[in-house]
């Protein structure tokens, strides 16, 4: 090796080293940010965290009350997220299957549908909330669990559709052809082959959307209402964890503010449980996927 | 129509946008023989094969002119039910495409969608066609395992069993051994030779030696045109067209 090549190699190695250090630094920064958020929430919530936070409804009003728990918001959020996610899935799957089974890759309809879904994804949740409010009034509903579910489903729908769509587009054409060549209709191919092949992706999309739905405050601000009671029916108003945080943090009393952090910790915990459950389920739905 | 020929292709042209992929092809496929479609890559072999079970329909911007008669019925006629056409043919693709389900369910997939419900009959059918595809002994104890765990060679035989399970009359192969190791290829070739007793087999291949080994009848395509066709012995021994001769001697490929 001559001197020039050696010199050149030395420079390439230095460049490589610089990038490796930079990449590692960003990884550490992201991890640090996450730990700081979790740490702050947990540390601030310690004074207020207790079993009764989880098991009791508020005493003395959610705004001023320093007693009781936030069972109303926990149950409200879970109902709302489950309902909205189920509804969004009912809307998303047909749309995505339509795009991927009935429409070709270059179809104009498909291109435009994807574009509109992307636009809808980008609409701020407060705007979705305001829209939900208008729809709610038009349908003659009051602020209620049902109105909240409808609005949050609208928020989740584009996220879920596009997430599932991305994995369905990766299904090789030959797999669809294999099913078709056995005499399957497009519907049979969609339901029996595509859904199975993309099951892990569907699960991811559903949970991504659910995580977004359960944590969103703006979309439920006008539509779900807020109450101290656990909702007993779809027509009842429902408290939610993001709004509980919002209201409690807005009070001038430190004791109530601590409760806001406790609510935040519980919300984070719920999302963590959802993610872990997804990981556990993933192994099961992955079993038959053809690589 | 010719009674010996379950498939008659009449003046078939296929256009991808402006590109003419097949030019006015007419061909009678002999019954219960292996017909090999040969030719250099890009000459339209796969297009011709896919036009036979209307898999071309799934492409965007494809236009088909002419007729393909399956047992005398034009498969491109507007009233023809495409799923019924496809059911009459089993397809082996270049790379085996198993369905995302168990070995058993792969074979039972076709019969199930065509309405077979009885557990007992399904079991019988799965066993019969796995045996016919020469896979039964290897998978007998693991029918519930995901099909994707099989080796590529086993997957191709599973695809064969799956295609046979809908009880077709015709087997289509699109370079079915191109992704397989020599031993698996030989295995698949042997199956095809056995199957021609009961089925009409059409195989696209770019391996001339394979065509020599298995074909009874040859169709040579060049640049979308059917240049020559006839009994394999004749075509290989005395090609009539200079282009066929050039291809067989390796001058064009």
């Amino acid at each position: 090796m001559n001197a020039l090549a050696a010199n050149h190699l030395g420079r390439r190695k230095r460049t490589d080293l610089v990038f490796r250090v930079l990449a590692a630094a960003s990884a550490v920064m992201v991890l640090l940010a996450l730990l700081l958020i979790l740490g702050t929430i947990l540390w601030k919530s310690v004074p207020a965290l207790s079993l009764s936070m989880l098991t009791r409804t508020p005493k003395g009003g959610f705004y001023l009350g320093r007693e009781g728990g936030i069972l109303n918001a926990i149950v409200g959020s879970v109902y709302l997220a489950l309902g909205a996610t189920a509804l969004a899935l009912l809307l998303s799957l047909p749309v995505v299957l339509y795009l991927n089974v009935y429409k070709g890759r270059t179809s104009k309809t498909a291109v435009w549908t994807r574009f509109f879904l992307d636009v809808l994804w980008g609409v701020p949740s407060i705007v979705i909330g305001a829209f939900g409010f208008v729809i709610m009034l038009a349908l003659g509903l009051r602020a209620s669990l049902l109105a909240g579910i409808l609005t949050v489903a609208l928020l989740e729908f584009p996220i879920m559709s596009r997430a599932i769509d991305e994995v369905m587009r990766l299904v090789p054409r030959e797999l669809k052809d294999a099913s078709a060549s056995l005499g399957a209709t497009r519907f049979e191919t969609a339901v029996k082959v595509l859904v199975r092949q993309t099951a892990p992706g569907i699960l991811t999309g559903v949970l991504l959307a659910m995580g977004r739905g359960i944590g969103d405050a703006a979309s439920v601000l006008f539509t779900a209402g807020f109450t101290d009671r656990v909702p007993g029916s779809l027509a009842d108003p429902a408290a939610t964890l993001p709004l509980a945080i919002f209201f409690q943090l807005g009070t001038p009393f430190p004791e109530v503010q601590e409760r806001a952090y406790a609510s935040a910790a519980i919300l984070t915990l719920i999302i963590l449980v959802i993610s872990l459950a997804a990981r556990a389920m993933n192994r099961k739905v992955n079993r038959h996927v053809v690589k | 129509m010719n009674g010996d020929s379950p498939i008659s292709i009449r003046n078939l042209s296929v256009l991808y946008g402006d590109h003419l992929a097949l030019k006015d092809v007419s061909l009678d496929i002999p019954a219960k023989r292996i017909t090999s479609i040969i030719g250099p890559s890009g000459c339209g072999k796969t297009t011709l094969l896919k036009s036979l079970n209307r898999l071309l329909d799934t492409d965007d911007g494809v236009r088909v002119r002419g007729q393909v008669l399956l047992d005398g019925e034009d498969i491109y006629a507007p009233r023809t039910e495409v799923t019924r056409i496809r059911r009459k043919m089993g397809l082996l693709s270049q790379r085996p495409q198993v369905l995302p389900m168990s070995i058993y369910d792969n074979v039972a997939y076709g019969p199930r969608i065509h309405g077979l419900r009885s557990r007992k009959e399904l079991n019988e059918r799965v066993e019969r066609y796995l045996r016919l595809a020469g896979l039964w002994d290897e998978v007998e104890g693991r029918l519930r395992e995901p099909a994707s765990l099989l080796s590529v060679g086993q997957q191709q035989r599973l695809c064969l069993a799956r295609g046979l399970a809908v009880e077709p009359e015709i087997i289509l192969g699109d370079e079915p051994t191109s992704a397989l190791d020599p031993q698996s290829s030989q295995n698949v070739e042997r199956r095809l030779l056995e199957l021609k007793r009961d089925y009409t087999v059409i195989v696209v291949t770019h391996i001339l030696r394979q065509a020599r080994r298995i074909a009874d009848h040859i169709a040579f395509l060049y640049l979308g045109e059917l240049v020559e066709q006839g009994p394999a012995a004749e075509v290989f021994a005395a090609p009539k067209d200079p282009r066929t001769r050039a291809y067989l001697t390796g001058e064009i490929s």
Side-chain angles (χ1 to χ4, degrees):
Chain A
M1 191 165 26
N2 60 38
L4 187 70
N7 193 10
H8 185 56
L9 183 64
R11 213 174 66 206
R12 286 171 61 205
K13 280 190 164 172
R14 279 196 299 280
T15 316
D16 195 50
L17 182 71
V18 168
F19 273 91
R20 206 166 61 194
V21 169
L22 284 177
S26 1
V28 168
M29 258 153 50
V30 169
L31 201 67
L32 219 61
L34 181 67
L35 287 177
L36 267 174
I37 293 172
L38 290 178
T40 310
I41 290 170
L42 280 178
W43 182 67
K44 288 221 174 198
S45 66
V46 165
L49 265 185
S50 65
L51 199 61
S52 64
M53 278 297 280
L54 291 175
T55 54
R56 293 169 58 189
T57 54
K59 291 268 162 359
F62 56 81
Y63 190 65
L64 299 171
R66 294 158 216 201
E67 297 290 314
I70 49 162
L71 183 68
N72 57 333
I74 295 172
V75 175
S77 268
V78 169
Y79 282 175
L80 195 88
L82 288 177
T85 305
L87 190 59
L89 184 63
L90 278 178
L91 292 170
S92 297
L93 260 191
V95 169
V96 175
L97 289 173
Y98 177 72
L99 290 180
N100 287 283
V101 182
Y102 290 88
K103 287 283 151 193
R105 262 165 215 277
T106 56
S107 141
K108 281 217 169 70
T109 320
V111 170
W112 281 104
T113 308
R114 291 196 171 103
F115 174 69
F116 285 131
L117 284 173
D118 286 342
V119 172
L120 196 57
W121 187 331
V123 172
S125 59
I126 187 75
V127 178
I128 302 258
F131 175 73
F133 184 65
V134 172
I135 296 292
M136 187 181 95
L137 293 182
L139 292 176
L141 290 172
R142 290 183 310 147
S144 59
L145 185 58
L146 179 63
I149 285 175
L150 292 174
T151 312
V152 175
L154 186 63
L155 180 81
E156 290 187 16
F157 163 65
I159 301 170
M160 203 186 286
S161 309
R162 288 298 272 129
I164 298 174
D165 183 43
E166 284 306 318
V167 285
M168 269 205 195
R169 284 168 92 174
L170 296 178
V171 173
R173 194 200 136 154
E174 288 77 15
L175 189 60
K176 294 185 232 174
D177 281 357
S179 170
S181 68
L182 292 165
T185 60
R186 286 175 192 233
F187 178 74
E188 285 158 344
T189 302
V191 174
K192 297 183 179 198
V193 176
L194 256 76
V195 169
R196 274 165 179 261
Q197 174 70 7
T198 55
I202 293 175
L203 186 63
T204 307
V206 164
L207 293 166
L208 188 72
M210 189 161 168
R212 177 80 201 280
I214 202 170
D216 194 74
S219 58
V220 287
L221 187 57
F222 309 122
T223 52
F226 204 89
T227 163
D228 284 354
R229 283 189 307 276
V230 170
S233 82
L234 282 171
D236 288 350
T240 47
L241 283 165
L243 285 183
I245 299 169
F246 177 67
F247 290 135
Q248 289 166 338
L249 209 55
T251 62
F253 313 111
E255 299 99 309
V256 184
Q257 286 175 2
E258 280 162 4
R259 295 166 68 86
Y261 284 102
S263 308
I266 291 164
L267 179 57
T268 312
L269 193 74
I270 290 175
I271 292 175
L272 189 72
V273 167
I274 293 174
S275 310
L276 289 177
R279 276 186 171 264
M281 275 161 73
N282 213 356
R283 210 166 305 146
K284 211 165 173 171
V285 295
N286 237 330
R287 197 171 125 86
H288 284 294
V289 171
V290 180
K291 300 257 160 41
Chain B
M1 74 151 266
N2 185 349
D4 287 325
S5 146
I7 297 186
S8 255
I9 301 162
R10 303 271 168 83
N11 308 103
L12 186 75
S13 293
V14 175
L15 281 131
Y16 287 102
D18 295 328
H19 171 66
L20 194 57
L22 280 184
K23 296 173 198 163
D24 201 26
V25 171
S26 292
L27 177 65
D28 285 333
I29 307 284
K32 310 219 168 148
R33 293 277 184 280
I34 297 182
T35 300
S36 210
I37 304 174
I38 59 171
S41 41
C43 68
K45 302 186 298 277
T46 299
T47 302
L48 180 60
L49 195 79
K50 284 187 169 179
S51 70
L52 301 181
N53 72 347
R54 284 188 55 180
L55 267 187
L56 284 183
D57 293 21
T58 55
D59 279 322
D60 293 326
V62 173
R63 275 171 298 159
V64 179
R65 289 189 206 129
Q67 287 183 313
V68 175
L69 300 178
L70 176 65
D71 300 324
E73 178 190 11
D74 181 9
I75 68 168
Y76 283 99
R79 300 187 132 245
T80 302
E81 186 57 54
V82 63
T83 54
R84 199 166 47 77
I85 296 298
R86 290 183 181 147
R87 199 187 159 173
K88 290 190 178 181
M89 309 187 203
L91 175 75
L92 283 178
S93 55
Q94 291 188 10
R95 292 194 58 79
Q97 283 289 338
V98 298
L99 301 172
M101 46 191 83
S102 69
I103 295 169
Y104 182 97
D105 288 337
N106 259 271
V107 184
Y109 181 82
R112 278 192 182 128
I113 56 180
H114 295 299
L116 189 64
R117 286 277 166 273
S118 142
R119 183 98 245 163
K120 193 165 149 279
E121 277 180 65
L122 277 172
N123 288 343
E124 280 171 14
R125 237 200 246 202
V126 168
E127 182 177 343
R128 185 181 333 140
Y129 291 108
L130 280 172
R131 279 188 193 283
L132 200 53
L135 191 60
W136 176 256
D137 294 337
E138 291 158 59
V139 299
E140 188 184 348
R142 46 194 285 218
L143 292 172
R144 293 290 158 202
E145 280 179 30
S148 52
L149 294 181
L150 295 173
S151 75
V152 180
Q154 290 173 322
Q155 288 189 13
Q156 192 61 300
R157 280 177 284 146
L158 179 65
C159 290
L160 181 60
R162 183 182 69 190
L164 292 173
V166 296
E167 312 202 314
E169 302 160 16
I170 297 155
I171 297 167
L172 306 175
D174 183 8
E175 302 187 8
T177 61
S178 64
L180 309 184
D181 60 84
Q183 208 167 6
S184 301
S185 300
Q186 206 188 12
N187 201 333
V188 168
E189 281 181 21
R190 225 175 18 237
R191 297 295 147 204
L192 292 177
L193 285 169
E194 280 170 24
L195 288 168
K196 76 171 179 181
R197 262 178 299 172
D198 301 305
Y199 301 87
T200 301
V201 182
I202 307 170
V203 183
V204 163
T205 180
H206 67 277
I207 313 166
L208 268 177
R209 272 169 298 145
Q210 183 173 60
R212 285 181 200 272
R213 281 195 297 268
I214 63 173
D216 302 300
H217 200 83
I218 294 285
F220 172 59
L221 281 178
Y222 188 63
L223 301 177
E225 216 178 303
L226 181 65
V227 172
E228 186 161 353
Q229 57 135 330
E234 285 176 27
V235 175
F236 282 128
K240 293 191 188 81
D241 193 285
R243 289 169 292 180
T244 317
R245 200 173 311 129
Y247 181 70
L248 292 179
T249 55
E251 283 165 42
I252 49 177
S253 58

